[in-house]
Amino acid sequence: DADVTQTPRNRITKTGKRIMLECSQTKGHDRMYWYRQDPGLGLQLIYYSFDVKDINKGEISDGYSVSRQAQAKFSLSLESAIPNQTALYFCATSDSRTGSTDTQYFGPGTRLTVL
Amino acid sequence: GQNIDQPTEMTATEGAIVQINCTYQTSGFNGLFWYQQHAGEAPTFLSYNVLDGLEEKGRFSSFLSRSKGYSYLLLKELQMKDSASYLCAVRELYRGSTLGRLYFGRGTQLTVWP
């Protein structure tokens, strides 16, 4: 079984619709992250959470919101989707107990298309 | 801030050695990561350097020079399955904090030819 899962894996939606992407992990990690990836632009951080009560904006948080329902679950919402939010979205986790290493491990990704 | 620069594309032949360079500018440097990403898939962790020098892990090695803001990923005995994008990522600490975040380069697309 995958340690980090994302649902759905693919989604096509229309402009203006509300969309939720979900991430679950069984790694027991306390830190979780949402990234988007556009061709040629690399990974950009949307939101991150260092524990259930700690949520922070990344570099491209406008148009997105998140919810950390439990240590193992971190959801990303697009309140009103727009076409330039078409991208590949990744959830990642890391474990603060590893100290300075704190390697991030990625889920399989959600390909979102906004028409 | 951070400026992470790596070549966009590289090609090599099976069995050869390739070196992918990464330069960065950042305050609060706290480690450099290399990830491999096959098309449409998740990035997977390859290596981590926080001190100067070479870290070797099988066919892959990674080098760091903090004073030069420079790292490279060395891939030996290339195989067709090594065709992928290689992402350089720098962790930067928040000022006065032990917490940090990753900044990713745009990736280097490596194509391995038979």
Side-chain angles (χ1 to χ4, degrees), chain A:
Chain A
D1 288 340
D3 292 326
V4 185
T5 58
Q6 293 184 232
T7 56
R9 295 294 313 279
N10 289 281
R11 181 71 184 268
I12 300 174
T13 190
K14 295 182 178 180
T15 298
K17 294 291 187 180
R18 184 178 187 275
I19 297 297
M20 178 180 286
L21 309 183
E22 299 186 342
C23 177
S24 295
Q25 50 110 350
T26 58
K27 299 176 81 68
H29 290 177
D30 52 342
R31 297 177 174 177
M32 298 186 74
Y33 311 80
W34 275 105
Y35 291 90
R36 67 175 278 175
Q37 188 174 41
D38 300 270
L41 289 183
L43 287 159
Q44 296 175 279
L45 184 63
I46 306 172
Y47 271 94
Y48 60 100
S49 171
F50 283 161
D51 65 45
V52 175
K53 297 181 180 179
D54 178 69
I55 293 178
N56 304 278
K57 293 181 177 181
E59 57 197 309
I60 57 163
S61 60
D62 287 349
Y64 302 93
S65 63
V66 291
S67 173
R68 184 85 184 263
Q69 301 96 320
Q71 186 184 47
K73 296 184 182 294
F74 193 35
S75 299
L76 176 72
S77 293
L78 288 68
E79 296 301 326
S80 180
I82 55 177
N84 76 0
Q85 291 178 312
T86 293
L88 189 54
Y89 289 84
F90 288 104
C91 173
T93 73
S94 69
D95 186 351
S96 64
R97 294 169 297 179
T98 60
S100 62
T101 308
D102 197 28
T103 300
Q104 292 186 21
Y105 296 92
F106 287 81
T110 295
R111 185 169 297 280
L112 176 66
T113 302
V114 183
L115 301 177

Side-chain angles (χ1 to χ4, degrees), chain B:
Chain B
Q2 68 304 119
N3 293 298
I4 301 172
D5 191 38
Q6 51 182 130
T8 303
E9 295 179 328
M10 297 185 72
T11 60
T13 54
E14 213 171 2
I17 299 173
V18 70
Q19 178 175 311
I20 302 174
N21 296 324
C22 173
T23 59
Y24 64 89
Q25 294 176 317
T26 185
S27 54
F29 175 84
N30 189 241
L32 188 142
F33 295 79
W34 284 96
Y35 283 83
Q36 181 191 60
Q37 185 179 25
H38 287 98
E41 298 183 8
T44 55
F45 169 72
L46 288 178
S47 69
Y48 168 70
N49 296 70
V50 67
L51 299 176
D52 292 350
L54 188 68
E55 294 282 342
E56 296 186 80
K57 191 182 295 185
R59 294 189 299 115
F60 294 3
S61 302
S62 57
F63 171 83
L64 175 67
S65 170
R66 289 172 296 170
S67 62
K68 296 181 179 179
Y70 169 69
S71 173
Y72 67 73
L73 180 69
L74 192 71
L75 293 75
K76 302 177 184 177
E77 302 170 13
L78 280 172
Q79 302 174 11
M80 298 290 289
K81 67 178 182 178
D82 297 330
S83 291
S85 183
Y86 291 85
L87 311 179
C88 173
V90 172
R91 182 165 59 220
E92 182 175 288
L93 289 181
Y94 299 111
R95 187 174 299 175
S97 172
T98 59
L99 299 176
R101 59 149 294 184
L102 284 185
Y103 292 90
F104 284 84
R106 298 186 176 196
T108 298
Q109 182 63 46
L110 174 66
T111 301
V112 180
W113 299 101

